[in-house]
Amino acid sequence: MLKKYTTEEKIQLLKANRLNKFDESEYGLLQLLMENKEFKSTLQNKKVLLNAHITETTLLQIEIILRTGAFLEISCINGLNSHQDVEEKLASYDIKVIKNKNEIKGRDYDLCLDCCAGSLGANLNPKYGVSELTQSGVSAFKKAKISYPLFSVDDTYIKKIETYFGTSDGFIRAYKKIKNKKVEPKIIIFGLGKVGSGIFNVLKSNKKNIFCVDACKYLVEEKLSEGVQILHESEFSKIQDIMASSDVIITCTGVENLMSRYDKNLMNDKLLINMGASDEWGHKFKNEEVLNNKKSLNFSLEYPTSLKFLDPIFYTQLIGAKNLVNNINFLSLENQIEIIMIWLKKNWFHNNDSDKKNDFLNSLISIFPGNIYWKNKDLRYEGANPSFIEQAGLDSIDDLVGKTDYDLAWTKEESDTYRYHDMLALEGLNISNRVEKQHNSKGDESYVLASKVGIRKEETKAVVGVLGMYQDITDIIVLKDDLEKKVKQLKRRADYYQTHTKNIINTIFEASKLGINEIIKIEGDENLDLKESILKKIIDINQLSEGLKKRKDYSLVDL
């Protein structure tokens, strides 16, 4: 019979395991959360469900939640992966893992921390909401039209760290363990989202032998312009031709049964790999025909995703749970940047390999949408992502470093405005979602949504620079202006018809009174029926006109 432990004893067992398995540098953000009094007090005494893959890294989440004084239950349902040895370890700590959704069906939780929307099948209604880790999970919750709040980790920039870098790192570690594979295999990747792009990035040394397929026409056009060999999913016959000559087929689209659309015979004797959250190979393929029995290949490892890449998203999911209790279901851009900067300092800025550090930082900024730049305290540029460099009309990062806004494509008035807000950021006042005008190197005017934060030294907390991000919203502004013009036109037209309708009603009303006077003058018994008929008509018109006068929404249709 297994020993029973108190909550404090469970925490100490989990702590001993953490110190034995991981270096403290791998979970700097989670370490901060363990010491965060506000986080602890917010979750204290809350009934919490954690539905997650059961791996060594999950034990950190369990420890942190238990430290808050929350009443925690753990499940691994609806297709999530569980490492048997870790599950047995939890059992030895007197911590149960629920594997059957019926065991939690309809239970009264305050919060749910979910992965892949596994809790949906249990018909839960958490009081404060659910903090969901994945894109597929968020889509499932939205499709289900849940009545409780949803916090999406996937909607943050932070999630890109795990999906682009973490999953691809896990993939390449697992891929290297595969025996009898070709030195330079011909590879086809289905899906170039965050996961697929990351995998392409780690395999790019073999770029000439990599083909990609995606459902987004815009992305296909963009990647073609970058020299990537890519096809749109509609090019069915071409895709099958490439599959026939390929050696490795990797799926990372999140679309169930995707590969069962194709001729299975074309995929005989090839390495078949799933890197998505669902079964993308489908009914045509047996589990054993796909590596790791159709589960994501990285889950064949003890650490499917290295803890240093999970650290920021586990932290964000837990902060999301705290925010939900405070009736907030999002994470501000300032908070996201702060989390990323802390994570970089704890995981990469101490790295002595400058080339490796620079390669990582360049890859990191290249995956974020929009334009990113940073300046020193003298407001001279020190770096930016490729999108910003192009917008500024420059050829390379070397052309940017050391310049000020006055040296770039913007007008003097725009540069004055940018620097004014830079100074505010240097003084500690963050700028969030401000609409600004900007001219590019071609002289074209656009509108951008801009945010800025001060870059602080971790040791002294002194602001030493400015980090800025912005996205082009010209199309949205143009659409908004167009809609406002149309609304004004419709209002003028409505006012016109309302005024003229009133005039018509008044005319009818006056005519009816005149009509009554004329009817009275009609003489003779033979005209009694005529009088009665005309009077009824006039009474009906009077009732209609009086009724319409009391309404504000009448139109000519009523007449």
Side-chain angles (χ1 to χ4, degrees):
M1 186 174 177
L2 292 173
K3 186 178 177 180
K4 294 291 184 182
Y5 292 102
T6 65
T7 298
E8 183 56 37
E9 288 172 332
K10 292 175 185 178
I11 291 170
Q12 292 307 313
L13 288 167
L14 289 164
K15 177 183 176 181
N17 182 75
R18 164 170 56 87
L19 295 175
N20 180 53
K21 288 285 185 180
F22 303 107
D23 188 284
E24 288 191 10
S25 66
E26 295 181 86
Y27 55 91
L29 283 165
L30 291 174
Q31 183 70 51
L32 291 175
L33 210 52
M34 291 182 197
E35 302 160 4
N36 189 311
K37 292 181 180 179
E38 182 189 358
F39 174 74
K40 287 181 179 180
S41 63
T42 303
L43 265 64
Q44 189 174 26
N45 297 325
K46 302 295 187 297
K47 290 177 283 185
V48 179
L49 174 69
L50 173 64
N51 185 56
H53 299 292
I54 303 302
T55 67
E56 283 287 352
T57 53
T58 312
L59 270 60
L60 270 81
Q61 286 181 290
I62 296 171
E63 180 189 347
I64 290 169
I65 297 171
L66 287 177
R67 283 179 178 274
T68 67
F71 302 107
L72 175 65
E73 290 189 332
I74 301 135
S75 65
C76 181
I77 55 178
N78 285 15
L80 296 183
N81 297 291
S82 178
H83 284 187
Q84 188 61 34
D85 59 331
V86 179
E87 197 173 325
E88 290 171 357
K89 182 184 291 186
L90 283 170
S92 73
Y93 295 170
D94 188 26
I95 298 174
K96 180 183 178 181
V97 177
I98 298 168
K99 305 293 284 291
N100 187 336
K101 67 182 179 183
N102 290 325
E103 288 190 49
I104 59 170
K105 203 162 190 176
R107 285 197 185 175
D108 187 20
Y109 294 107
D110 293 313
L111 283 166
C112 175
L113 282 77
D114 209 347
C115 179
C116 301
S119 68
L120 259 182
N123 298 324
L124 303 178
N125 188 27
K127 179 179 178 180
Y128 297 106
V130 60
S131 182
E132 168 61 43
L133 208 55
T134 67
Q135 181 183 39
S136 58
V138 170
S139 298
F141 277 116
K142 289 181 178 178
K143 188 176 180 180
K145 297 181 179 178
I146 56 174
S147 59
Y148 44 86
L150 174 66
F151 178 92
S152 169
V153 179
D154 193 74
D155 285 344
T156 67
Y157 290 115
I158 298 161
K159 185 68 189 308
K160 294 177 184 291
I161 294 171
E162 183 258 344
T163 49
Y164 185 89
F165 295 106
T167 306
S168 59
D169 171 75
F171 164 81
I172 203 66
R173 285 187 287 116
Y175 183 73
K176 286 177 178 178
K177 291 178 177 290
I178 299 171
K179 298 177 180 178
N180 303 320
K181 60 180 183 290
K182 292 185 178 180
V183 178
E184 290 191 347
K186 189 173 181 180
I187 300 171
I188 181 167
I189 301 173
F190 283 82
L192 269 193
K194 294 187 286 289
V195 173
S197 295
I199 292 172
F200 178 84
N201 186 56
V202 296
L203 295 173
K204 65 184 178 184
S205 60
N206 186 33
K207 185 177 178 179
K208 66 179 186 296
N209 289 323
I210 300 178
F211 288 83
C212 304
V213 178
D214 200 88
C216 176
K217 289 184 178 180
Y218 171 78
L219 179 64
V220 171
E221 291 172 1
E222 179 185 340
K223 293 300 178 183
L224 281 172
S225 68
E226 296 173 3
V228 176
Q229 301 179 96
I230 186 169
L231 295 169
H232 185 259
E233 65 171 4
S234 61
E235 300 176 88
F236 199 82
S237 60
K238 289 182 180 179
I239 293 170
Q240 296 216 131
D241 288 343
I242 293 172
M243 290 168 73
S245 60
S246 64
D247 303 301
V248 182
I249 303 174
I250 305 167
T251 60
C252 34
T253 65
V255 179
E256 287 192 15
N257 298 312
L258 173 74
M259 302 311 291
S260 287
R261 303 174 187 175
Y262 299 97
D263 183 355
K264 185 185 175 186
N265 294 323
L266 298 173
M267 292 175 260
N268 292 335
D269 303 319
K270 304 183 189 307
L271 289 177
L272 309 182
I273 299 172
N274 179 33
M275 284 301 297
S278 56
D279 176 12
E280 301 189 25
W281 291 89
H283 63 278
K284 283 187 181 179
F285 298 85
K286 297 177 182 177
N287 285 355
E288 58 269 22
E289 291 178 307
V290 182
L291 291 178
N292 200 33
N293 294 313
K294 291 188 178 180
K295 296 178 182 177
S296 293
L297 182 64
N298 58 321
F299 275 89
S300 62
L301 303 170
E302 181 182 8
Y303 304 116
T305 303
S306 296
L307 181 55
K308 67 181 177 183
F309 294 115
L310 290 173
D311 182 39
I313 66 157
F314 282 174
Y315 178 90
T316 302
Q317 186 180 30
L318 289 161
I319 288 296
K322 177 183 79 74
N323 283 0
L324 286 171
V325 176
N326 294 321
N327 296 314
I328 302 169
N329 67 340
F330 66 92
L331 193 63
S332 71
L333 180 61
E334 290 83 3
N335 289 151
Q336 292 182 48
I337 292 173
E338 182 182 11
I339 291 168
I340 292 171
M341 293 302 292
I342 293 171
W343 178 78
L344 285 171
K345 288 171 184 175
K346 290 186 176 294
N347 285 279
W348 291 96
F349 286 177
H350 67 275
N351 194 318
N352 293 324
D353 187 341
S354 58
D355 289 338
K356 186 176 181 180
K357 182 167 69 175
N358 286 333
D359 285 345
F360 174 79
L361 291 174
N362 287 334
S363 296
L364 177 65
I365 63 172
S366 69
I367 66 172
F368 290 111
N371 303 279
I372 303 173
Y373 61 88
W374 53 98
K375 304 174 183 179
N376 60 26
K377 63 181 180 180
D378 298 321
L379 303 185
R380 292 187 177 275
Y381 284 95
E382 291 194 337
N385 67 347
S387 179
F388 180 90
I389 292 168
E390 181 182 354
Q391 183 84 3
L394 304 175
D395 295 325
S396 70
I397 189 70
D398 294 333
D399 297 328
L400 175 70
V401 175
K403 285 186 168 60
T404 70
D405 287 298
Y406 297 114
D407 301 316
L408 301 181
W410 348 126
T411 66
K412 182 182 182 303
E413 290 75 15
E414 289 167 349
S415 297
D416 289 341
T417 300
Y418 301 159
R419 290 172 68 84
Y420 170 73
H421 289 105
D422 287 343
M423 292 300 297
L424 292 178
L426 285 175
E427 292 171 7
L429 179 64
N430 294 333
I431 309 299
S432 181
N433 296 332
R434 185 179 187 279
V435 177
E436 297 176 342
K437 281 186 179 182
Q438 185 182 81
H439 284 78
N440 62 20
S441 57
K442 298 176 183 177
D444 299 327
E445 184 181 83
S446 61
Y447 290 90
V448 300
L449 191 66
S451 297
K452 298 179 182 184
V453 295
I455 302 172
R456 296 178 183 272
K457 266 193 173 182
E458 188 174 5
E459 301 80 16
T460 63
K461 302 300 180 184
V463 180
V464 295
V466 177
L467 176 67
M469 306 173 73
Y470 66 87
Q471 288 183 292
D472 191 311
I473 58 167
T474 306
D475 290 344
I476 297 173
I477 295 294
V478 170
L479 178 61
K480 175 178 172 288
D481 290 345
D482 187 46
L483 286 173
E484 286 178 351
K485 287 178 184 176
K486 287 181 178 177
V487 167
K488 288 178 181 178
Q489 289 174 354
L490 288 171
K491 189 176 184 303
R492 284 198 297 269
R493 191 175 298 175
D495 290 343
Y496 171 82
Y497 283 125
Q498 190 175 49
T499 300
H500 282 267
T501 303
K502 283 181 179 177
N503 291 338
I504 291 170
I505 292 169
N506 289 331
T507 301
I508 293 171
F509 187 65
E510 294 302 320
S512 67
K513 289 193 291 185
L514 179 63
I516 291 173
N517 293 330
E518 292 301 316
I519 289 170
I520 292 171
K521 296 177 183 178
I522 298 175
E523 297 179 353
D525 293 339
E526 68 277 8
N527 293 316
L528 285 176
D529 290 340
L530 177 61
K531 279 185 177 183
E532 183 179 351
S533 175
I534 293 173
L535 281 169
K536 281 182 179 179
K537 293 284 186 186
I538 291 173
I539 290 168
D540 288 342
I541 290 173
N542 272 318
Q543 287 175 339
L544 172 63
S545 62
E546 286 295 336
L548 289 176
K549 280 183 176 181
K550 296 175 183 178
R551 288 168 51 191
K552 295 182 179 180
D553 59 343
Y554 55 77
S555 70
L556 289 173
V557 175
D558 292 300
L559 301 177

